[in-house]
Amino acid sequence: AQSVTQLDSQVPVFEEAPVELRCNYSSSVSVYLFWYVQYPNQGLQLLLKYLSGSTLVKGINGFEAEFNKSQTSFHLRKPSVHISDTAEYFCAVNTGFQKLVFGTGTRLLVSP
Amino acid sequence: DTGVSQDPRHKITKRGQNVTFRCDPISEHNRLYWYRQTLGQGPEFLTYFQNEAQLEKSRLLSDRFSAERPKGSFSTLEIQRTEQGDSAMYLCASSSGQGVNEKLFFGSGTQLSVL
C-alpha cells in the first residue's frame, strides 16, 4: 500500500526566512506526489505535483518541491515565507485516479 | 466557475440522529469525491462517482453511510444513526481532466459534530 509520512506536525518560522516541510513516501510502484495547502475555513488547494520528468517541481505562491527517489522524499521548500503562508500543508500520493492518500499534515506558522 | 459548494458548513447533531450533506461540484466535472478529515489527520478517501455511478467505496464507509449522485450533478452523503466517532470535516471534491492531468477542486467542507 502507498503512504506518506509528514514527520513535522508544526513548523514555526519567522517571516522572510526559508522553510522546508518534509514528506517521505512509501510505495512499491511508480508514484504521483502532491502538495496541498489548506487555509483556515477553506478547501484544499493544489500547490504542486510530481508526475514524471524533472525532479524539481515548481508550484504556486513561490513553493517548490524536489522528488528524491533514493530517499523516497518529496520535501516542500520556499526561500522566503510570508505571513500569508500560515496554513496547513498536506503531502499526498496517488493510488489510482485521484484517490489520494494524504499525510497527517504540517502546520506552518509564520510570525513577524 | 463558482467552485465546489458544500452545504451546510457546520452541523451539530445528537448521537443517533441522521444527517445529510450536499455537495455541488463545478459544472461539467464528471468525477466527484468524498473525503473525511478528523482532527489532526489528513483527509481520508471515502468514495467517488463517475457521473452518477459510484465506482469505489472505502472500507471506512460503513453501512450507516450512503452517498448518491442521482443525476450526475450534485451529490449527497447521508449518515444514519450518527455516532460520536463520526465527528469530522466531510470534504467534497470534483475533478477535471483525464488520467495524470486530472485535477481536484475541493469544497470548504461540512464540519459535523456529534454530541
Side-chain angles (χ1 to χ4, degrees):
Chain A
Q2 295 168 320
S3 66
V4 290
T5 302
Q6 293 182 251
L7 292 173
D8 305 307
S9 60
Q10 190 166 290
V11 173
V13 65
F14 288 110
E15 192 175 19
E16 297 183 5
V19 69
E20 178 180 85
L21 306 183
R22 297 182 294 169
C23 172
N24 286 89
Y25 69 90
S26 173
S27 174
S28 58
V29 297
S30 298
V31 294
Y32 303 138
L33 292 159
F34 305 78
W35 274 99
Y36 281 82
V37 60
Q38 187 174 34
Y39 298 104
N41 300 315
Q42 294 187 29
L44 291 154
Q45 181 182 1
L46 180 66
L47 272 178
L48 49 81
K49 61 183 177 182
Y50 171 77
L51 303 177
S52 64
S54 173
T55 57
L56 183 63
V57 181
K58 293 190 182 297
I60 61 171
N61 301 341
F63 284 93
E64 64 181 30
E66 184 159 16
F67 173 68
N68 189 317
K69 188 174 182 179
S70 63
Q71 297 185 3
T72 61
S73 68
F74 190 56
H75 300 332
L76 181 70
R77 300 186 183 101
K78 186 170 183 178
S80 176
V81 295
H82 302 287
I83 297 285
S84 59
D85 292 323
T86 294
E88 188 91 22
Y89 291 80
F90 293 95
C91 182
V93 63
N94 181 275
T95 65
F97 289 110
Q98 285 281 330
K99 192 179 74 173
L100 296 164
V101 175
F102 287 88
T104 52
T106 298
R107 182 168 298 277
L108 177 62
L109 296 170
V110 183
S111 54
Chain B
D1 180 356
T2 58
V4 178
S5 175
Q6 292 189 246
D7 184 68
R9 291 293 304 273
H10 300 91
K11 178 68 177 180
I12 300 174
T13 191
K14 293 182 179 179
R15 189 175 50 188
Q17 297 294 306
N18 299 342
V19 295
T20 300
F21 311 139
R22 177 180 169 120
C23 171
D24 286 274
I26 295 172
S27 60
E28 299 180 357
H29 280 190
N30 56 7
R31 287 207 186 100
L32 185 147
Y33 298 78
W34 285 99
Y35 284 80
R36 181 173 69 185
Q37 184 177 13
T38 53
L39 199 62
Q41 300 296 318
E44 297 171 295
F45 170 80
L46 291 179
T47 187
Y48 92 93
F49 293 83
Q50 172 90 21
N51 299 313
E52 67 274 11
Q54 187 174 17
L55 296 186
E56 188 170 351
K57 294 194 293 185
S58 162
R59 288 171 294 175
L60 293 174
L61 220 60
S62 74
D63 291 344
R64 296 184 297 104
F65 288 72
S66 63
E68 295 182 344
R69 194 183 183 197
K71 297 182 179 179
S73 57
F74 73 91
S75 175
T76 58
L77 178 67
E78 181 183 16
I79 309 174
Q80 296 182 326
R81 305 180 303 282
T82 53
E83 301 173 356
Q84 288 184 327
D86 297 330
S87 296
M89 175 75 81
Y90 290 84
L91 298 168
C92 176
S94 66
S95 70
S96 64
Q98 295 288 332
V100 298
N101 293 316
E102 185 180 7
K103 182 178 179 180
L104 260 65
F105 293 83
F106 282 85
S108 299
T110 293
Q111 181 67 53
L112 173 65
S113 298
V114 181
L115 304 178

